[in-house]
């Protein structure tokens, strides 16, 4: 039996649907901490990068060294990233090109399905137990290429929409806006493993 | 399933509210040209509102204010990667149909434009594109939600740079929400009548103590401290109109040709974005406020006759 303090999950709360992620973990009986600063990031063991606008997040990270601290964090600790968060982690971002943390070996295209009128809720094929998963796509990006160490866990029309590489779990859709809790449950399992 | 049916299902509404969720904790900026839209995106805006005239100019110039020209809206949509919103007149469903056809990401059925219908708002369930609507109190907010709005914003008094009415409307909505939560079950029927809102929605918010859609704030927010104020009062995102790109009440900064005026707009835009994210950290809001060079002069909302107020439009 260990006497270590329980693992703390942070949710990057500078912009986006961070409250929806906190609520998704709360439904699983797990508390999370909002992270807006370097000192708050230092208090957590794993992190969620939520959906939102990746350009706005990049601008807000450029303050007080949060971008450098986050870059180090995402290369070392368990991270769950959805939509804009997935874009921040990608090795390469196109349409248009923008900077990223290059912690996840994927190429990703922003707003690849079109604008809001093309947003959709569709069932996607997944290798996770339990069969097809409801996936909420909102102005979603598309993963164009994955590196050899990236495992694809779900696909839409043949393109990966849920991937895992080491301690990173990333989705181009929004499991936090769905009743299907498998992605958040898998992330909790990854935290326990690490 | 036909497109019409799709919009009436919970799936359609979930997608609309989903986009509103993505815009939380951010700033939505009014822009009148491509250069302003680019400045807004670079400064960290989560979305832009494409307009031909910001409310301060509409107020000063008068005349009928209508939907912006499709040409301008398309130019702005092509220039930035963040969501683009545009305004339709209250009740003008044909303008909204045009905006949906253009592919804007959100339609604002707005009291800032001249109303097209004195009794009816747009049936927003009939659209795929999500709508945001203004409200001054809980009843107005719930009526708009019943009509299909996926986001509510306080109306405030647009084009003034005076935050007083945005504060009043946000406090009114949150106060009325709290009052519902302590009402007895049988009192809710009467409260629904008093608020002029559907009983089912009144009962829902009485249980959750929050609106079923995101609640943003607009109307007179001009400085980083204004944004921090509204966020602390419960706004989930702020709209900023004349506060960024205007110098005098009816004159925009020349961001296309004057480097110094462009820099002024950039400094204001960045400062408001920073203050909105760090709204509960006075040290950061102080730093952001210090970075701002120049602020719109503004117009005291109390000096506006009631018949000249924009917020009284909508029913």
């Amino acid at each position: 039996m260990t006497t270590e303090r329980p693992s703390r999950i942070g949710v990057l709360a500078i912009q986006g649907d961070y409250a929806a992620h906190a609520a998704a973990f709360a439904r699983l009986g797990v508390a999370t901490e909002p992270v807006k600063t370097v000192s708050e990031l230092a208090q957590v063991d794993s992190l969620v990068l939520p959906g939102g606008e990746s350009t706005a997040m990049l601008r807000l990270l450029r303050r007080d060294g949060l971008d450098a601290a986050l870059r180090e964090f995402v290369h070392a600790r368990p991270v769950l990233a959805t939509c804009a968060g997935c874009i921040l982690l990608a090795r390469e971002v196109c349409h248009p090109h923008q900077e990223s943390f290059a912690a996840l070996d994927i190429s990703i295209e922003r707003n690849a399905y079109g604008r809001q009128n093309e947003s959709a809720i569709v069932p996607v094929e997944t290798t996770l137990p339990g069969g097809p998963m409801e996936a909420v796509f909102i102005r979603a990006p598309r993963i164009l290429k994955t590196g050899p160490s990236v495992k694809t866990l779900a696909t839409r029309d043949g393109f990966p929409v849920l991937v895992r590489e080491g301690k990173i779990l990333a989705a181009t859709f929004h499991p936090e806006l769905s009743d299907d809790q498998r992605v958040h449950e898998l992330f909790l399992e990854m935290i326990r493993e690490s | 399933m036909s497109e019409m049916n799709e919009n009436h299902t919970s799936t359609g509404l979930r997608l609309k509210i989903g986009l509103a969720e993505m815009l939380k904790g951010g700033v939505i900026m009014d822009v009148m040209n491509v250069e302003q839209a680019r400045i807004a995106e670079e400064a960290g805006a989560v979305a832009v509102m494409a307009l031909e005239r910001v409310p301060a100019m509409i107020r000063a110039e008068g005349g009928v204010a209508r939907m912006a020209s499709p040409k301008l809206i398309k130019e702005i949509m092509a220039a930035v990667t963040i969501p683009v919103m545009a305004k339709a007149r209250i009740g003008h469903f044909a303008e909204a149909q045009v905006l949906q056809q253009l592919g804007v990401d959100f339609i604002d059925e707005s009291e800032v434009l001249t109303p097209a219908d004195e009794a009816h708002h747009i049936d927003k369930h009939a659209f795929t594109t999500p709508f945001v609507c203004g409200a001054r109190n809980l009843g107005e907010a719930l009526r708009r939600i019943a009509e299909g709005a996926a986001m509510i914003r306080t109306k405030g008094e647009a084009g003034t740079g005076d935050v007083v009415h945005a504060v009043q409307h946000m406090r009114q909505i949150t106060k009325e929400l709290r009052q519902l939560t302590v009402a007895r079950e049988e009192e809710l029927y009467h409260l629904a009548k008093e608020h002029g809102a559907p009983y089912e929605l009144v009962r829902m918010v009485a249980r959750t103590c929050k609106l079923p859609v995101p609640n943003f704030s607009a109307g007179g927010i001009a400085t980083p401290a204004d944004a921090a104020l509204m966020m602390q009062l419960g706004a989930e995102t702020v709209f900023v109109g004349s506060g960024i790109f205007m110098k005098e009440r009816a004159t925009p900064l020349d961001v296309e040709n004057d480097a110094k005026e462009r820099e002024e707009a950039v400094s204001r835009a960045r400062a408001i974005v920073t203050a909105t994210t760090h709204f509960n950290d006075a040290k950061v809001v102080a730093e952001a406020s210090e970075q701002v060079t120049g602020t719109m002069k503004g117009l005291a909302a109390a000096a506006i006759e009631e018949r000249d107020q924009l917020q009284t439009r909508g029913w």
Side-chain angles (χ1 to χ4, degrees):
Chain A
M1 211 41 207
T2 166
T3 53
E4 278 178 35
R5 67 173 174 81
S7 170
R8 294 173 72 164
I9 304 173
V11 180
L12 187 70
I14 54 174
Q15 195 276 311
D17 73 335
Y18 44 85
H21 273 287
F25 281 111
R27 284 195 293 273
L28 293 168
V30 176
T32 55
E33 317 274 333
V35 170
K36 287 187 186 184
T37 62
V38 173
S39 58
E40 286 166 347
L41 183 61
Q43 300 295 313
V44 299
D45 307 292
S46 58
L47 188 68
V48 178
L49 302 181
E53 286 304 317
S54 60
T55 52
M57 290 184 191
L58 282 172
R59 159 59 57 191
L60 285 158
L61 289 173
R62 276 185 233 131
R63 205 190 144 270
D64 268 359
L66 184 56
D67 47 359
L70 195 59
R71 182 177 292 271
E72 197 178 314
F73 192 103
V74 299
H75 279 91
R77 307 288 189 87
V79 177
L80 169 62
T82 62
C83 199
C86 184
I87 295 170
L88 293 183
L89 291 184
R91 181 178 52 74
E92 184 187 33
V93 181
C94 54
H95 187 243
H97 171 77
Q98 75 184 23
E99 58 185 302
S100 56
F101 292 124
L104 175 63
D105 192 6
I106 60 169
S107 294
I108 196 163
E109 180 188 2
R110 293 183 58 207
N111 300 333
Y113 296 90
R115 308 191 71 96
Q116 172 63 12
N117 288 346
E118 281 71 53
S119 292
I121 300 176
V122 294
V124 296
E125 295 299 321
T126 176
T127 58
L128 298 184
M133 178 183 284
E134 179 197 71
V136 182
F137 291 91
I138 295 177
R139 289 172 47 94
R142 182 187 278 144
I143 296 171
L144 302 174
K145 270 187 288 186
T146 56
S149 56
V150 176
K151 260 194 287 186
T152 296
L153 303 178
T155 56
R156 175 185 180 187
D157 303 330
F159 288 94
V161 293
L162 177 66
V163 295
R164 179 177 176 179
E165 184 183 20
K167 294 176 184 169
I168 294 178
L169 181 62
T172 59
F173 59 95
H174 295 281
E176 71 277 16
L177 297 182
S178 176
D179 292 333
D180 194 318
Q181 301 180 321
R182 282 178 281 171
V183 173
H184 287 85
E185 283 168 348
L186 174 59
F187 186 58
L188 292 176
E189 208 172 290
M190 287 167 60
I191 292 171
R192 283 193 293 272
E193 280 167 15
S194 70
Chain B
M1 196 186 288
S2 77
E3 191 176 301
M4 194 70 174
N5 284 336
E6 180 76 7
N7 296 320
H8 277 278
T9 62
S10 62
T11 302
L13 195 57
R14 279 177 70 198
L15 283 169
K16 293 172 180 178
I17 295 173
L19 179 57
E21 292 283 337
M22 297 310 141
L23 304 177
K24 281 187 178 176
V27 182
I28 299 163
M29 299 184 191
D30 282 355
V31 298
M32 294 178 283
N33 56 50
V34 163
E35 191 55 25
Q36 290 183 352
R38 290 202 177 113
I39 289 172
E41 182 175 49
E42 283 165 27
V46 291
V48 291
M49 177 78 69
L51 287 166
E52 274 178 46
R53 299 184 290 170
V54 295
M57 293 164 78
I58 293 172
R59 189 182 285 289
E61 293 167 12
V64 178
R66 308 182 178 94
M67 171 185 79
S69 101
K71 183 170 173 289
L72 174 71
I73 294 168
K74 282 162 81 175
E75 280 171 7
I76 289 171
M77 284 167 58
V80 294
T81 62
I82 54 178
V84 175
M85 302 184 170
K87 290 183 192 288
R89 283 179 263 177
I90 289 173
H92 205 316
F93 52 86
E95 281 189 350
Q97 288 162 356
V98 170
L99 294 175
Q100 172 165 281
Q101 183 62 37
L102 293 173
V104 302
D105 298 288
F106 239 103
I107 299 170
D108 184 0
E109 185 181 18
S110 178
E111 70 283 0
V112 165
L113 304 184
T114 311
D117 192 316
E118 292 183 331
H120 310 95
H121 282 249
I122 297 170
D123 170 15
K124 293 165 273 286
H125 291 292
F127 290 77
T128 304
T129 310
F131 278 75
V132 52
C133 289
R136 291 176 299 165
N137 54 51
L138 183 62
E140 201 173 359
L142 294 179
R143 287 193 292 280
R144 297 297 86 79
I145 292 166
E147 294 156 2
M151 180 200 295
I152 292 297
R153 55 170 175 74
T154 58
K155 285 178 167 175
E157 187 56 28
T160 58
D162 187 343
V163 79
V164 65
H165 286 147
V167 169
Q168 188 189 95
H169 300 160
M170 186 58 75
R171 283 197 183 275
Q172 185 69 23
I173 289 172
T174 50
K175 183 177 79 185
E176 289 173 344
L177 278 171
R178 282 197 308 276
Q179 286 170 346
L180 277 190
T181 61
V182 295
R184 294 163 61 103
E185 194 72 16
E186 68 270 23
E187 290 171 337
L188 292 177
Y189 299 99
H190 177 68
L191 285 166
K193 192 177 88 179
E194 282 201 331
H195 287 300
Y199 166 73
E200 289 73 19
L201 279 175
V202 167
R203 188 155 173 267
M204 183 197 288
V205 300
R207 292 187 173 177
T208 59
C209 194
K210 60 195 280 292
L211 295 179
V213 304
N215 188 15
F216 292 7
S217 180
I221 299 162
T223 68
D226 287 349
L229 174 69
M230 295 317 302
M231 294 294 283
Q232 288 188 47
L233 286 173
E236 294 175 299
T237 275
V238 296
F239 285 80
V240 181
S242 320
I244 293 169
F245 294 108
M246 300 299 284
K247 41 185 177 185
E248 296 306 323
R249 242 187 352 107
T251 320
L253 292 163
D254 184 0
V255 297
E256 285 161 313
N257 302 306
D258 187 322
K260 190 163 165 289
E261 294 201 348
R262 186 181 196 284
E263 196 43 51
E264 186 170 333
V266 169
S267 78
R268 291 188 200 174
R270 284 187 182 172
I272 286 192
V273 168
T274 303
T276 302
T277 289
H278 298 279
F279 66 89
N280 49 7
D281 185 338
K283 184 166 166 284
V284 181
V285 178
E287 278 168 24
S289 303
E290 198 178 331
Q291 284 159 16
V292 176
T293 54
T295 298
M296 73 179 287
K297 185 158 166 280
L299 169 70
I304 303 171
E305 298 276 350
E306 192 172 339
R307 66 169 189 277
D308 295 326
Q309 286 183 349
L310 301 174
Q311 60 182 274
T312 54
R313 297 165 167 182
W315 4 94

